[in-house]
């Protein structure tokens, strides 16, 4: 067939040369990661000197074709594919620095998030809303963002999407090119559908995965079709939800496949049967399959090139890093979130100079708020300057149910149910209700109004309780069965900088009740250590640049708190005003690809003449959800080290066994005294403890097993926890 076509092209070259130069249309099919093979074919087409006059594509074929139509060379597209982490891109994974400060503090403890609509819990439309895909395409296509008619692109172009309501194909020939490509590639369950011109669109492969028929209508003379469609799977090969959906969406495309092939003049089908639509980690292999099959058509491409006597001017060089000055910012679609909120999350103002890559990063900051379905951005050129146009589509689903599970030796079994609701009383507000059910029930309510550039404010209420054996300071008693309950209410003002630095101050009411049945009383009731209401003022300063909350490899952490205890109902009649200063600083650094070192130092000081022991610092045990003045310290039991001030340093070494499994080695040292600064010897009477352990980063959160000991006491302890800490 190839040889017959070759002689046909040679024979018709005289006719074409006497009449007109033939127009060559290129059609690229969908196929997910298999579509990388298109790039290998494009390189051979370029090498032969074939000029493409029109491009049409579906899904990945649309994305590759759209980039080529915009002016990218095949070699440039190849580099983009090799350099891009498509798994992170498709999952909308952003670096932690994109997260809001509120999310870093309260949102990194859930294993599952489910939308709530009209009081009913549902399922997400897809694994990802696809914002990062759209931002990435917008960044790549910056040089042609002013072209809204695809026939005016360096190479005319169209792509195919599917109307999810009717199942009919939608041919897109104008509008936002990045938005069109994002719609065409919206593979069901992987990426959410996207709305364009009132139609909710999904992957074009469902309706027309190889749009040769549309190219046939475009008045071209030669159609080159590159088909990366596979074949229907047998039942043994269907093992996942993706396989099932791929099979369903393939029925129609394979039914019409013979007709589509007959419409092409040059039909190219790479050998990609061993790959799937999500084989993004095999990009180099799939690219090579495109090169291999295209080389077989070298003589055909040479023949077509000879028919094209008149060549257009070379396409301009794509410059993605060109810096622009934003003269004006226009925002559309923000009904429930103020302009200040949007710009505050973007950290962008009129007059800023920025390139598209930086702009895409800033859009990810806004996307991380999870308040928007999609954010489309373009830059318009006007006489007065460049205008950044943001079209945001807010989420109609303002509520969600978030779930988490946890187990440790103090709180025992816990299931976390969180209801998150936005826009309750005003714009920019959110309420988060944590209800923990299990062995130690507790709850926390957070109401927060985020005003972006301006001061934000909030209210919180918390009830926490636990029961555990602690070391006793009472003669004749080794351990006390301590019951501890805390009910705290706060109102506060806060301002944040760059999503990593927060300063705040507030007022606090705290009800504390701690007692034990271990110590006898004349009435045979529980011995009460404290049962008082406290009224306090507090302030805090927090800096968090860790790249991961639980397994950081780089970054810095600072948490400093000052609290002034002003008044008390004074159960023990020994209360006097006093204050406390407490702080923690941490530093993480990857020593190499397998080893990370984390240094954390912590200190606490009581300021004033305090006779009450209820607010001493209590060191010992291992829990990351300790509250108030309970401080973890390896090698000692909870409450083993008690005094009004302390200094502590912890040295952590984490060794990667695999990407999700780690070996841990920890050494911690502390000085716990009435005043650790008194006498000037910071190392006097230093306590030490050590731990070795294993950790697994699971979908439920960290799973840790650690063995701890102290040479001071010769005591040993086992620690275990499962799941995110809450």
């Amino acid at each position: 067939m190839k040889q017959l076509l070759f002689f046909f092209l040679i024979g018709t070259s005289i006719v074409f040369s006497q009449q007109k130069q033939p127009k060559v249309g290129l059609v690229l099919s969908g196929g997910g990661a298999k579509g990388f093979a298109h790039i290998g074919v494009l390189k051979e087409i370029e090498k032969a000197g074939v000029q493409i006059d029109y491009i049409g594509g579906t899904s990945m074929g649309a994305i590759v074709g759209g980039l080529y139509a915009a002016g990218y060379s095949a070699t440039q597209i190849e580099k983009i594919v090799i350099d891009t982490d498509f798994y992170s891109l498709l999952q909308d994974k952003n670096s932690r620095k994109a997260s809001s400060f509120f999310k870093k503090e309260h949102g990194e403890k859930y294993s599952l998030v489910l939308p709530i609509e009209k009081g009913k819990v549902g399922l997400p439309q897809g694994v990802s809303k696809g914002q990062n895909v759209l931002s990435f395409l917008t960044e790549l296509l910056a040089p042609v963002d002013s072209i809204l008619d695809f026939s005016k692109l360096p190479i005319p172009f169209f792509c195919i999407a599917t109307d999810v309501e009717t199942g009919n194909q939608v041919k897109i020939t104008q509008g936002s090119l990045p938005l069109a490509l994002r719609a065409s590639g919206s593979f069901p369950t992987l990426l959410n559908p996207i709305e364009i011109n009132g139609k909710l669109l999904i992957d074009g492969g469902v309706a027309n995965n190889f749009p040769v028929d549309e190219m046939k209508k475009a008045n071209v003379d030669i159609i080159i079709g590159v088909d990366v469609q596979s074949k229907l799977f047998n039942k043994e090969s269907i093992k996942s939800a993706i396989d099932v959906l791929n099979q369903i969406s393939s029925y129609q495309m394979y039914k019409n496949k013979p007709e589509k092939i007959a419409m092409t003049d040059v039909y190219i089908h790479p050998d990609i049967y061993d790959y799937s639509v999500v084989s993004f980690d095999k990009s180099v292999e799939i690219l090579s399959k495109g090169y291999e099959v295209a080389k077989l058509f070298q003589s055909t491409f040479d023949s077509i090139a000879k028919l094209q006597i008149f060549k257009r001017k070379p396409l301009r060089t794509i410059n993605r890093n060109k810096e622009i000055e934003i003269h004006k910012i226009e925002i559309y679609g923000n009904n429930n979130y103020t302009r200040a909120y949007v710009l505050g999350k973007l950290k962008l103002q009129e007059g800023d100079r920025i390139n598209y890559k930086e702009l895409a990063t800033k859009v990810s900051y806004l996307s991380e708020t999870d308040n928007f379905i999609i954010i489309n951005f373009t830059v318009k050129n006007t006489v007065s300057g460049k205008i950044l146009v943001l079209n945001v589509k807010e989420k109609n689903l303002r509520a969600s149910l978030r779930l988490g599970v946890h187990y440790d030796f103090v709180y025992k079994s816990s299931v976390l149910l969180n209801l998150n609701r936005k826009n309750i009383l005003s714009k920019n507000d959110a309420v988060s209700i944590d209800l923990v059910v299990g062995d130690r029930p507790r709850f926390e309510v957070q109401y927060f109004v985020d005003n972006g550039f301006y001061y934000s404010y909030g209210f919180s209420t918390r009830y926490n309780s636990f029961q555990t054996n602690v070391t006793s300071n009472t003669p004749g008693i080794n351990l006390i069965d301590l019951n501890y309950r805390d009910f705290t209410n706060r109102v506060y003002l806060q301002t944040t900088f760059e999503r990593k630095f927060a300063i705040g101050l507030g007022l606090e009411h705290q009800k504390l009740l701690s007692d034990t049945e271990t110590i006898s009383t004349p009435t045979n009731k529980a011995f009460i250590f404290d049962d008082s209401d406290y009224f306090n003022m507090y302030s805090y300063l927090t800096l968090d640049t860790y790249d991961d909350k639980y397994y950081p490899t780089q970054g810095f952490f600072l948490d400093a708190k000052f609290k002034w205890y002003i008044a008390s109902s004074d159960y023990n009649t020994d209360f006097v005003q006093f204050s406390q200063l407490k702080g923690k600083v941490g530093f993480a650094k990857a020593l190499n690809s397998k080893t990370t070192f984390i240094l954390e130092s912590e200190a606490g000081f009581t300021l004033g003449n305090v006779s009450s022991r209820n607010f001493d610092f209590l060191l010992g045990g291992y829990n990351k959800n300790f509250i108030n003045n309970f401080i973890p310290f390896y090698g000692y039991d909870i409450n083993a080290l008690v005094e009004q001030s302390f200094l502590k340093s912890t040295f952590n070494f984490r060794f990667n066994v695999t990407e999700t499994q780690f070996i841990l080695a920890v050494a911690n040292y502390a000085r716990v005294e009435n005043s650790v600064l008194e006498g000037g010897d910071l190392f006097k009477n230093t306590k030490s403890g050590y731990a070795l352990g294993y950790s697994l980063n699971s979908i439920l959160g960290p799973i840790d097993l650690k063995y701890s000991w102290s040479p001071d006491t010769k005591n040993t302890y086992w620690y275990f926890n499962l799941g995110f800490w809450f």
Side-chain angles (χ1 to χ4, degrees):
M1 177 67 184
K2 186 182 70 172
Q3 291 178 334
L4 289 174
L5 179 61
F6 171 73
F7 287 116
F8 168 76
L9 292 171
I10 292 295
T12 56
S13 62
I14 298 175
V15 176
F16 276 124
S17 63
Q18 291 175 347
Q19 297 178 1
K20 63 176 183 176
Q21 176 166 302
K23 290 184 178 180
V24 178
L26 176 65
V27 180
L28 306 177
S29 80
K34 295 179 291 184
F36 295 155
H38 291 316
I39 302 165
V41 176
L42 275 173
K43 288 190 76 172
E44 291 302 312
I45 287 175
E46 276 187 355
K47 183 178 177 182
V50 175
Q51 177 175 288
I52 302 300
D53 299 293
Y54 202 6
I55 301 177
T58 296
S59 196
M60 184 60 79
I63 292 171
V64 173
L67 292 173
Y68 197 71
Y72 281 94
S73 69
T75 300
Q76 288 175 315
I77 301 173
E78 176 187 47
K79 187 176 188 310
I80 291 169
V81 165
I82 292 173
D83 292 346
T84 301
D85 181 355
F86 283 91
Y87 288 119
S88 294
L89 195 68
L90 288 169
Q91 295 176 61
D92 266 345
K93 282 188 176 180
N94 294 310
S95 65
R96 189 168 180 260
K97 68 180 182 180
S99 298
S100 68
F101 199 86
F102 187 82
K103 184 175 181 179
K104 288 179 181 178
E105 281 195 303
H106 306 289
E108 298 178 319
K109 53 189 177 185
Y110 309 106
S111 303
L112 181 64
V113 180
L114 300 173
I116 298 177
E117 184 175 15
K118 296 179 180 179
K120 296 181 179 179
V121 179
L123 293 173
Q125 290 182 320
V127 173
S128 164
K129 62 184 179 182
Q131 179 60 55
N132 282 5
V133 174
L134 178 59
S135 295
F136 184 60
L137 291 170
T138 304
E139 175 195 338
L140 293 175
L141 296 167
V144 295
D145 64 353
S146 61
I147 300 177
L148 301 180
D149 182 349
F150 299 169
S151 67
K152 305 299 183 184
L153 290 167
I155 302 175
F157 172 78
F158 73 85
C159 64
I160 301 295
T162 302
D163 187 332
V164 74
E165 288 187 295
T166 65
N168 296 330
Q169 77 166 29
V170 177
K171 181 179 178 181
I172 308 176
T173 59
Q174 57 184 7
S176 165
L177 181 57
L179 205 60
L181 301 185
R182 163 67 177 80
S184 183
S186 300
F187 191 86
T189 74
L190 280 183
L191 296 178
N192 286 357
I194 192 165
E195 186 175 331
I196 298 180
N197 297 329
K199 294 181 179 180
L200 192 62
L201 304 180
I202 59 173
D203 195 292
V206 176
N208 190 350
N209 199 49
F210 192 33
V212 181
D213 49 340
E214 293 300 323
M215 184 61 76
K216 197 76 174 176
K217 302 173 185 177
N219 194 30
V220 296
D221 302 297
I222 299 173
I223 297 178
I224 301 173
V226 186
D227 181 10
V228 295
Q229 300 174 110
S230 296
K231 54 188 176 183
L232 293 173
F233 295 122
N234 56 40
K235 61 184 179 181
E236 288 78 14
S237 300
I238 302 175
K239 299 178 180 179
S240 68
I242 297 295
D243 292 338
V244 172
L245 285 166
N246 194 40
Q247 186 86 337
I248 293 171
S249 64
S250 298
Y251 295 150
Q252 188 67 25
M253 67 179 73
Y254 295 137
K255 178 181 178 182
N256 299 326
K257 188 172 181 178
E259 300 173 16
K260 298 289 185 69
I261 295 174
M263 293 180 188
T264 64
D265 297 300
V266 181
Y267 177 73
I268 303 172
H269 194 287
D271 179 14
I272 37 71
Y273 293 111
D274 293 334
Y275 305 96
S276 75
V277 293
V278 291
S279 296
F280 296 106
D281 57 333
K282 307 292 185 183
S283 58
V284 175
E285 295 176 24
I286 298 172
L287 283 162
S288 67
K289 293 296 183 181
Y291 306 143
E292 290 171 10
V293 71
K295 288 183 183 299
L296 302 176
F297 290 83
Q298 184 176 354
S299 58
T300 302
F301 295 152
D302 290 340
S303 299
I304 295 174
K306 288 177 182 178
L307 299 177
Q308 296 177 310
I309 301 171
F310 304 103
K311 304 292 186 182
R312 62 172 167 259
K313 294 180 180 179
L315 299 178
R316 60 181 173 174
T317 302
I318 296 288
N319 181 8
R320 295 161 52 192
N321 298 316
K322 183 179 179 181
E323 196 173 70
I324 57 176
E325 182 177 341
I326 304 299
H327 171 70
K328 186 179 179 182
I329 301 175
E330 296 178 355
I331 305 173
Y332 300 97
N334 58 316
N335 300 314
N336 295 302
Y337 299 94
T338 63
R339 177 183 175 88
Y341 174 87
V342 173
L343 295 181
K345 294 304 175 186
L346 288 170
K347 295 298 178 185
L348 190 65
Q349 299 185 63
E350 293 174 351
D352 287 353
R353 294 188 64 84
I354 193 171
N355 62 39
Y356 264 80
K357 185 176 183 62
E358 294 166 338
L359 188 54
T361 299
K362 288 182 177 293
V363 168
S364 72
Y365 300 158
L366 183 60
S367 177
E368 272 292 296
T369 63
D370 204 32
N371 294 325
F372 304 94
I373 296 173
I374 207 74
I375 305 161
N376 189 31
F377 60 99
T378 58
V379 176
K380 291 195 305 187
N381 293 314
T382 66
V383 176
S384 56
K386 295 185 181 296
I387 300 176
L388 172 63
V389 180
L390 288 164
N391 285 285
V392 301
K393 185 171 179 58
E394 296 178 346
K395 278 191 172 182
N396 292 325
L397 298 173
R398 300 178 189 172
S400 62
L401 175 66
R402 302 187 285 191
L403 307 173
V405 295
H406 186 81
Y407 178 86
D408 63 61
F409 290 159
V410 175
Y411 286 95
K412 307 297 182 181
S413 299
S414 304
V415 176
L416 172 61
L417 307 174
N418 170 268
L419 176 64
N420 187 270
R421 181 71 164 84
K422 300 177 180 179
N423 306 130
I424 292 185
L425 301 177
S426 67
K427 293 183 177 182
N428 309 343
D429 75 351
V431 65
S432 176
I433 303 173
D434 280 347
L435 175 63
V436 179
V437 295
D439 293 307
R440 301 290 179 262
R442 52 197 188 275
F443 70 83
E444 182 173 13
V445 178
Q446 291 278 347
Y447 176 76
F448 188 65
V449 179
D450 190 337
N451 287 322
F453 280 129
Y454 308 113
Y455 279 96
S456 302
Y457 58 92
F459 165 80
S460 69
T461 183
R462 176 191 74 191
Y463 173 77
N464 193 299
S465 70
F466 63 85
Q467 181 178 3
T468 187
N469 290 326
V470 300
T471 302
S472 170
N473 294 317
T474 303
I477 301 177
N478 294 325
L479 293 175
I480 290 176
D481 183 22
L482 175 68
N483 292 298
Y484 190 88
R485 280 140 289 179
D486 171 290
F487 179 59
T488 299
N489 302 290
R490 290 175 172 173
V491 59
Y492 60 94
L493 291 173
Q494 175 179 288
T495 186
T496 60
F497 305 92
E498 299 293 331
R499 298 161 304 282
K500 58 188 179 185
F501 184 68
I503 299 175
L505 56 88
L507 299 174
E508 177 184 83
H509 160 255
Q510 196 168 32
K511 169 70 173 180
L512 295 181
L513 173 60
S514 56
D515 58 35
T516 182
E517 299 282 354
T518 307
I519 301 176
S520 62
T521 63
T523 59
N524 291 323
K525 294 182 179 180
F527 180 85
I528 299 175
F529 295 104
D530 193 15
D531 184 9
S532 303
D533 291 274
Y534 296 91
F535 302 91
N536 319 313
M537 291 182 64
Y538 71 97
S539 61
Y540 58 91
L541 183 154
T542 306
L543 173 65
D544 186 353
T545 66
Y546 277 165
D547 59 347
D548 188 277
K549 183 180 181 70
Y550 297 98
Y551 300 95
T553 60
Q554 62 179 359
F556 187 79
F557 180 84
L558 170 66
D559 184 23
K561 295 183 173 70
F562 175 79
K563 186 180 292 188
W564 178 21
Y565 292 82
I566 301 173
S568 170
S569 60
D570 200 8
Y571 174 82
N572 291 310
T573 66
D574 58 358
F575 176 81
V576 293
Q577 287 191 8
F578 70 99
S579 58
Q580 286 188 326
L581 180 64
K582 184 167 62 173
K584 180 178 181 180
V585 61
F587 170 77
K589 175 68 176 177
L591 303 179
N592 53 49
S593 60
K594 293 290 186 180
T595 309
T596 299
F597 171 67
I598 304 168
L599 171 63
E600 295 179 326
S601 293
E602 198 166 354
F605 304 94
T606 302
L607 310 176
N609 298 316
V610 182
S611 58
S612 171
R613 309 294 295 183
N614 295 321
F615 289 92
D616 284 356
F617 297 102
L618 308 100
L619 276 68
Y622 171 71
N623 269 58
K624 290 191 176 181
N625 53 7
F626 278 150
I627 60 171
N628 299 333
N629 286 352
F630 287 87
I631 311 295
F633 189 72
Y634 290 104
Y636 283 78
D637 202 358
I638 297 174
N639 200 59
L641 302 172
V642 183
E643 260 301 350
Q644 294 192 354
S645 70
F646 78 96
L647 291 173
K648 176 190 132 182
S649 288
T650 305
F651 302 86
N652 294 271
F653 289 90
R654 189 178 69 240
F655 306 93
N656 296 43
V657 179
T658 66
E659 188 176 347
T660 58
Q661 298 183 75
F662 311 93
I663 299 296
L664 310 172
V666 185
N668 58 192
Y669 306 91
R671 186 165 181 243
V672 185
E673 304 285 352
N674 181 59
S675 176
V676 294
L677 300 179
E678 197 172 276
D681 187 356
L682 297 180
F683 301 101
K684 182 180 179 181
N685 197 26
T686 298
K687 310 298 183 183
S688 64
Y690 305 89
L692 292 173
Y694 164 83
S695 183
L696 172 66
N697 187 8
S698 74
I699 191 172
L700 299 177
I703 301 176
D704 295 330
L705 178 64
K706 296 175 183 175
Y707 173 74
S708 173
W709 74 96
S710 173
D712 308 331
T713 63
K714 312 303 181 186
N715 292 333
T716 62
Y717 302 92
W718 282 97
Y719 302 123
F720 174 76
N721 75 271
L722 180 152
F724 296 113
W725 291 94
F726 50 78

